[in-house]
Amino acid sequence: MRKYLPFLLCLGLLSQQEEATAQNFTMKNLNFPVQHGDVSAIDIDRDGDMDLLIMGEISGSERFVQLFTNDGAGNFTKTASPFLAGAFASIDWGDVDNDGRLDMLQSGFGTTGPFTALFKSNATGVFTQVANSGIQQVNPGTGFADLNNDGYTDIYAFGNANNTANDASRAKIYFNNKAGGFTESAQFNDYKFVDPEISAVDFDKDGDLDLFVNGFEIVSESRFSKMFVNTNGTFMVRDLGLIQKGFGGAVWGDYDADGDLDLLLNGDGGANGEPSSDIYRLYKNTAGAFTEATTFSTYRQIAVGDGGRFADWDNDGDLDVIVTGWDDTAKRQATAIFLNNAGAFTAMANNDKLPGVSESSIEVADIDGDSDLDLMLTGFSGNNFNGANSAYNDKVSVIVVNPTTMVNTAPTMPATLQATMGTGGGVTLSWSAATDATTSANSLSYNIFLQDATGKMYIHPMADTTTGKLMVQKMGNVQLSTSWIIKDLPQGRYRYGVQAIDNSFMGSPFMKTSFTITNGVLTGIADQKLDLNMEVYPNPAPGRINVKLEKGKKYELKVSTLDGRTVKTLSAMNSVQLTLAPGIYILQVNDNKGGVENRKIVVQ
């Protein structure tokens, strides 16, 4: 496995991953007992597989953080990192300095109090904490998002406040000042939150990211589950008509394939909320209006953050629902998967064989590279279970390996890439919808990247732009939109690309194009014309594929599998013929002058 983290020190491969099978579930115990934390799946060392970063508490005073690096087959090594230990935590990733490398923002409650820490990554993958970042020291409810569409990553830090007279903690946004620092916004100063969980979500599909807050608000002394609607970086609160919750979590996804993002909401009741604290409620979004679709009970997360998930667990193309928490009906911790059938949900037959967790944070990602989503569980897991080896009577970090035999394939690439200059100087990037063998075209999300001629990355896709492989497995950075506006771009030449992402969080290759801005005029965009003048035919092909190249130039060709493994490299001055075994590949052609083109090729 290639390594890009020189500071990492391997602490030993977990012995056999302590694998155990309950019914048809295989569990991998990471031997890292935490609760009230956060778990993040991220390809931190850029080797094509999903690593894990986990924060949390072991006891009331002990806080821990641990990085686990993946060997590509789902076997993990405990690895040292510079990140901070804390409970009631948030972890997020984004490119805060536009250098094309992912940085990290974390917050938590440490041994001496709350903290917020920003880490930047350099060209060799070393993460270094930014001293005196100016971000308030709070937890949780922190993260990255471009909240004013200027191509620079901003930070939100809502965090825990208190009701003392001298408490300065307020919900805050720190807008990126484009010079390496941040400008604090005072527009949220009227709010003081406790245990806030924040979602950056374009719920109304108007081309910007709104902020949904689920928590408790001190000033109004009430539960708070409301949307702050974004207009050019200015936010106004909107009551969506939801039953107010707090000390829980919110996740977004298009479960009904109608093209907008629905909401799975949980948390404690009380105050102005409902009496019950053990209900996950699914709301259907219809053009920004929310109505209750169904409920999942009785599950109380007993934590703030990610206790539930939307995920295509059975690889049939639609979003299933995963919930965790104390099941007051069964009187035990529980994890339950509800399978989606045309918008109706049925509990999976062997849910009682899953390790149950409360005080939980969970994640989904393809850990072992077999094209399905596995489940990472953290929290307290009691011993009231029917299944062998699914009871721990302790805090846990455990992976449930997905047993499905259905194999997911990536969507097609988007097409008809366009870039147009508006009257206000903003550039609108747009494309036509992709398709997928199982996921509805309405539910496909999209990742875009935008890069200038110097390599400055205005929009980071959190994916490999050559292979399309995601570095995080979630919705794309523009969610369900097929257009996005970037404001105030300097003049110069730009490359941009778009990939589609399905409900199993598998990405297509990127379709790419370029354009130039000169004196406020945008030129050079050519529909479907990429960086190189080349033809690939036939495609699909029975064994041999012809690549027609412009004569008189030297090209470097690389053929990779969809999981990033290189199978062929060669140099060429003109047309070449590739002979490959049957399969699906990514062909990358580089003209050594900055022009790069990727094509998905199929050999039958």
PDB file of all heavy atoms in Angstrom, residues 482-493:
ATOM      1  N   THR A 482     -28.051  19.884 -11.022  1.00  0.00           N
ATOM      2  CA  THR A 482     -27.339  19.716 -12.293  1.00  0.00           C
ATOM      3  C   THR A 482     -26.809  21.063 -12.802  1.00  0.00           C
ATOM      4  O   THR A 482     -26.527  21.216 -13.987  1.00  0.00           O
ATOM      5  CB  THR A 482     -28.236  19.070 -13.354  1.00  0.00           C
ATOM      6  OG1 THR A 482     -29.452  19.821 -13.474  1.00  0.00           O
ATOM      7  CG2 THR A 482     -28.568  17.629 -12.992  1.00  0.00           C
ATOM      8  N   SER A 483     -26.681  22.020 -11.891  1.00  0.00           N
ATOM      9  CA  SER A 483     -26.002  23.274 -12.202  1.00  0.00           C
ATOM     10  C   SER A 483     -25.546  23.896 -10.893  1.00  0.00           C
ATOM     11  O   SER A 483     -26.109  23.612  -9.829  1.00  0.00           O
ATOM     12  CB  SER A 483     -26.901  24.248 -12.974  1.00  0.00           C
ATOM     13  OG  SER A 483     -27.990  24.672 -12.173  1.00  0.00           O
ATOM     14  N   TRP A 484     -24.528  24.750 -10.970  1.00  0.00           N
ATOM     15  CA  TRP A 484     -23.994  25.393  -9.762  1.00  0.00           C
ATOM     16  C   TRP A 484     -23.339  26.701 -10.170  1.00  0.00           C
ATOM     17  O   TRP A 484     -22.704  26.778 -11.220  1.00  0.00           O
ATOM     18  CB  TRP A 484     -22.983  24.486  -9.080  1.00  0.00           C
ATOM     19  CG  TRP A 484     -22.827  24.747  -7.609  1.00  0.00           C
ATOM     20  CD1 TRP A 484     -21.771  25.368  -6.988  1.00  0.00           C
ATOM     21  CD2 TRP A 484     -23.743  24.385  -6.569  1.00  0.00           C
ATOM     22  NE1 TRP A 484     -21.988  25.412  -5.618  1.00  0.00           N
ATOM     23  CE2 TRP A 484     -23.185  24.816  -5.337  1.00  0.00           C
ATOM     24  CE3 TRP A 484     -24.983  23.740  -6.562  1.00  0.00           C
ATOM     25  CZ2 TRP A 484     -23.821  24.619  -4.113  1.00  0.00           C
ATOM     26  CZ3 TRP A 484     -25.626  23.544  -5.351  1.00  0.00           C
ATOM     27  CH2 TRP A 484     -25.052  23.983  -4.142  1.00  0.00           C
ATOM     28  N   ILE A 485     -23.476  27.729  -9.329  1.00  0.00           N
ATOM     29  CA  ILE A 485     -22.932  29.048  -9.619  1.00  0.00           C
ATOM     30  C   ILE A 485     -21.682  29.291  -8.777  1.00  0.00           C
ATOM     31  O   ILE A 485     -21.677  29.038  -7.569  1.00  0.00           O
ATOM     32  CB  ILE A 485     -23.974  30.152  -9.341  1.00  0.00           C
ATOM     33  CG1 ILE A 485     -25.182  30.013 -10.276  1.00  0.00           C
ATOM     34  CG2 ILE A 485     -23.354  31.541  -9.507  1.00  0.00           C
ATOM     35  CD1 ILE A 485     -26.299  30.995  -9.974  1.00  0.00           C
ATOM     36  N   ILE A 486     -20.634  29.800  -9.422  1.00  0.00           N
ATOM     37  CA  ILE A 486     -19.420  30.237  -8.749  1.00  0.00           C
ATOM     38  C   ILE A 486     -19.254  31.725  -9.027  1.00  0.00           C
ATOM     39  O   ILE A 486     -19.292  32.164 -10.177  1.00  0.00           O
ATOM     40  CB  ILE A 486     -18.178  29.472  -9.240  1.00  0.00           C
ATOM     41  CG1 ILE A 486     -18.419  27.972  -9.119  1.00  0.00           C
ATOM     42  CG2 ILE A 486     -16.946  29.894  -8.454  1.00  0.00           C
ATOM     43  CD1 ILE A 486     -18.649  27.501  -7.698  1.00  0.00           C
ATOM     44  N   LYS A 487     -19.038  32.487  -7.979  1.00  0.00           N
ATOM     45  CA  LYS A 487     -19.000  33.941  -8.104  1.00  0.00           C
ATOM     46  C   LYS A 487     -17.568  34.465  -8.101  1.00  0.00           C
ATOM     47  O   LYS A 487     -16.674  33.881  -7.484  1.00  0.00           O
ATOM     48  CB  LYS A 487     -19.780  34.584  -6.952  1.00  0.00           C
ATOM     49  CG  LYS A 487     -21.240  34.153  -6.890  1.00  0.00           C
ATOM     50  CD  LYS A 487     -21.927  34.698  -5.660  1.00  0.00           C
ATOM     51  CE  LYS A 487     -23.373  34.222  -5.583  1.00  0.00           C
ATOM     52  NZ  LYS A 487     -24.042  34.681  -4.339  1.00  0.00           N
ATOM     53  N   ASP A 488     -17.381  35.577  -8.804  1.00  0.00           N
ATOM     54  CA  ASP A 488     -16.152  36.375  -8.708  1.00  0.00           C
ATOM     55  C   ASP A 488     -14.897  35.615  -9.103  1.00  0.00           C
ATOM     56  O   ASP A 488     -13.824  35.793  -8.505  1.00  0.00           O
ATOM     57  CB  ASP A 488     -15.986  36.929  -7.284  1.00  0.00           C
ATOM     58  CG  ASP A 488     -17.184  37.745  -6.826  1.00  0.00           C
ATOM     59  OD1 ASP A 488     -17.732  38.489  -7.655  1.00  0.00           O
ATOM     60  OD2 ASP A 488     -17.566  37.627  -5.654  1.00  0.00           O
ATOM     61  N   LEU A 489     -14.980  34.785 -10.129  1.00  0.00           N
ATOM     62  CA  LEU A 489     -13.780  34.104 -10.599  1.00  0.00           C
ATOM     63  C   LEU A 489     -12.845  35.092 -11.283  1.00  0.00           C
ATOM     64  O   LEU A 489     -13.288  35.899 -12.113  1.00  0.00           O
ATOM     65  CB  LEU A 489     -14.149  32.995 -11.586  1.00  0.00           C
ATOM     66  CG  LEU A 489     -14.720  31.695 -11.012  1.00  0.00           C
ATOM     67  CD1 LEU A 489     -15.090  30.745 -12.139  1.00  0.00           C
ATOM     68  CD2 LEU A 489     -13.743  31.028 -10.054  1.00  0.00           C
ATOM     69  N   PRO A 490     -11.558  35.048 -10.968  1.00  0.00           N
ATOM     70  CA  PRO A 490     -10.603  35.898 -11.695  1.00  0.00           C
ATOM     71  C   PRO A 490     -10.515  35.472 -13.153  1.00  0.00           C
ATOM     72  O   PRO A 490     -10.888  34.351 -13.522  1.00  0.00           O
ATOM     73  CB  PRO A 490      -9.277  35.635 -10.969  1.00  0.00           C
ATOM     74  CG  PRO A 490      -9.640  34.990  -9.672  1.00  0.00           C
ATOM     75  CD  PRO A 490     -10.913  34.252  -9.920  1.00  0.00           C
ATOM     76  N   GLN A 491      -9.997  36.349 -14.002  1.00  0.00           N
ATOM     77  CA  GLN A 491      -9.838  35.956 -15.391  1.00  0.00           C
ATOM     78  C   GLN A 491      -8.718  34.933 -15.503  1.00  0.00           C
ATOM     79  O   GLN A 491      -7.797  34.873 -14.700  1.00  0.00           O
ATOM     80  CB  GLN A 491      -9.576  37.163 -16.267  1.00  0.00           C
ATOM     81  CG  GLN A 491      -8.270  37.866 -16.067  1.00  0.00           C
ATOM     82  CD  GLN A 491      -8.116  39.036 -17.046  1.00  0.00           C
ATOM     83  OE1 GLN A 491      -9.095  39.498 -17.648  1.00  0.00           O
ATOM     84  NE2 GLN A 491      -6.898  39.493 -17.230  1.00  0.00           N
ATOM     85  N   GLY A 492      -8.822  34.099 -16.538  1.00  0.00           N
ATOM     86  CA  GLY A 492      -7.847  33.032 -16.751  1.00  0.00           C
ATOM     87  C   GLY A 492      -8.525  31.802 -17.326  1.00  0.00           C
ATOM     88  O   GLY A 492      -9.722  31.802 -17.631  1.00  0.00           O
ATOM     89  N   ARG A 493      -7.734  30.750 -17.474  1.00  0.00           N
ATOM     90  CA  ARG A 493      -8.237  29.497 -18.043  1.00  0.00           C
ATOM     91  C   ARG A 493      -8.587  28.532 -16.910  1.00  0.00           C
ATOM     92  O   ARG A 493      -7.858  28.432 -15.924  1.00  0.00           O
ATOM     93  CB  ARG A 493      -7.196  28.857 -18.960  1.00  0.00           C
ATOM     94  CG  ARG A 493      -7.675  27.601 -19.676  1.00  0.00           C
ATOM     95  CD  ARG A 493      -6.638  27.113 -20.680  1.00  0.00           C
ATOM     96  NE  ARG A 493      -7.123  25.959 -21.428  1.00  0.00           N
ATOM     97  CZ  ARG A 493      -6.956  24.694 -21.050  1.00  0.00           C
ATOM     98  NH1 ARG A 493      -6.287  24.424 -19.942  1.00  0.00           N
ATOM     99  NH2 ARG A 493      -7.423  23.700 -21.780  1.00  0.00           N
TER     100      ARG A 493
END
